[in-house]
Amino acid sequence: MTPAPRFAFVEDALERADHLRDQDDALRTLWRNGRVLRVDAEGRTCVDAQGLLDAPTGMTLGELPDEAVFLGLRGDEAWFALDIGEGAPGPVSAPFEARPASEGRIDLRSAATHWPAFDATAFAQARAVLHWRRRHRFCGACGGALRPTRGGWQGHCDACGLDHYPRTDPAVIVAVTDGERLLLGRQASWPARRYSTLAGFVEPGETLEQTVAREVMEESGVRVRTSRYLGSQPWPFPSSLMLGFVADAEPDPPQAADELEDARWFTRDEVGAALRGETKDEGLLLSPSVSISRWLIEAWHAGVAVAE
């Protein structure tokens, strides 16, 4: 049986309330008492003196800016996102500019480790959509400037009439086993001894299962026989959707390639010791608990089967 997901950015998600995105008057009304997540150019948001989310109400920031993104509803309370970074598209209202900065700012990975699930999930949504807005200011067909519509979830080109929507890049991430061992790899930029499950982006015209086999072969030289989907996680670094698999593979000797510095098989005992935190000073270190990678490793160690 697959363990219940415990990774970040999934629990307590907002109701997207798509039906409100075209209702400008309703959004202006919701803005006044709604909460506003402010995200800077580095993808950080504002925190209070205790390091918790500082999301003021819209009325303290002035009128609803055209650049604000309507994230959704939590009960009757609306949540919005606003880009406060240098070079943010469009003007920011004077009341907002006059408001002093919060005591500090926090990045999403740190927030996910310490914050309640709702706050971290809302921050992840805000970071992802604002990243898209920052990098898609002009039409890819004619070069015209894009005007935000539908509560910030669409960019309309007045020059050629095309509409543009937020981009999400699907990627597979996979716990590969030969029946007895788990295949993990590491990048050179990671902390010493840190290993994780293999991952890679889906290419056009490719099924998810084909991506699993191709990426594992490209990165490690190990041949996958079969694979099974287990779960997914939005991963806004900057705009991925991680699709988690467990795969059965040949016991080939790994040969790290592509962006990996090393790839190797680990025994169940080695993985178990790392999961229990017994290898902090030496031995294997695993992905942090905020990621679906850690959950996939836990699922394999718990005995989840490739085929059920």
Side-chain angles (χ1 to χ4, degrees), residues 166 299 301:
H301 190 262

Side-chain angles (χ1 to χ4, degrees), residues 164-285:
H164 300 259
Y165 300 90
R167 170 176 171 171
T168 297
D169 301 317
V172 300
I173 183 165
V174 54
V176 180
T177 179
D178 66 355
E180 299 294 332
R181 301 172 296 175
L182 183 67
L183 178 66
L184 301 174
R186 63 167 278 107
Q187 297 182 15
S189 60
W190 291 353
R193 301 183 286 114
R194 167 74 58 80
Y195 281 76
S196 182
T197 50
L198 305 190
F201 289 104
V202 181
E203 293 187 348
E206 188 174 50
T207 69
L208 299 179
E209 292 80 5
Q210 289 169 343
T211 304
V212 167
R214 175 182 56 78
E215 283 289 344
V216 173
M217 172 58 72
E218 290 177 356
E219 294 191 357
S220 69
V222 171
R223 294 166 293 167
V224 167
R225 293 192 289 251
T226 59
S227 62
R228 180 168 70 91
Y229 171 79
L230 295 183
S232 63
Q233 180 187 32
W235 193 246
F237 302 105
S239 56
S240 299
L241 176 63
M242 306 305 296
L243 303 160
F245 283 77
V246 59
D248 182 46
E250 301 289 348
D252 299 322
Q255 297 180 355
D258 203 3
E259 72 270 17
L260 293 185
E261 176 189 65
D262 186 30
R264 67 177 70 171
W265 294 107
F266 289 90
T267 67
R268 190 171 299 275
D269 287 344
E270 289 174 314
V271 172
L275 288 173
R276 293 188 297 271
E278 298 172 0
T279 58
K280 292 181 180 180
D281 297 324
E282 59 181 14
L284 173 65
L285 295 180

Side-chain angles (χ1 to χ4, degrees), residues 47-130:
V47 295
D48 61 20
Q50 288 72 46
L52 300 176
L53 176 62
D54 179 10
T57 60
M59 69 173 67
T60 65
L61 305 181
E63 297 300 318
L64 173 65
D66 292 339
E67 297 74 33
V69 177
F70 171 59
L71 297 177
L73 299 174
R74 187 186 196 191
D76 295 329
E77 183 180 64
W79 282 71
F80 295 82
L82 191 62
D83 190 338
I84 61 170
E86 182 180 354
V92 176
S93 63
F96 179 77
E97 289 182 314
R99 180 182 171 87
S102 179
E103 279 76 4
R105 299 180 185 181
I106 192 172
D107 65 275
L108 181 54
R109 283 186 172 90
S110 299
T113 304
H114 304 291
W115 282 6
F118 169 79
D119 292 355
T121 299
F123 182 11
Q125 181 186 351
R127 188 188 192 280
V129 70
L130 290 178

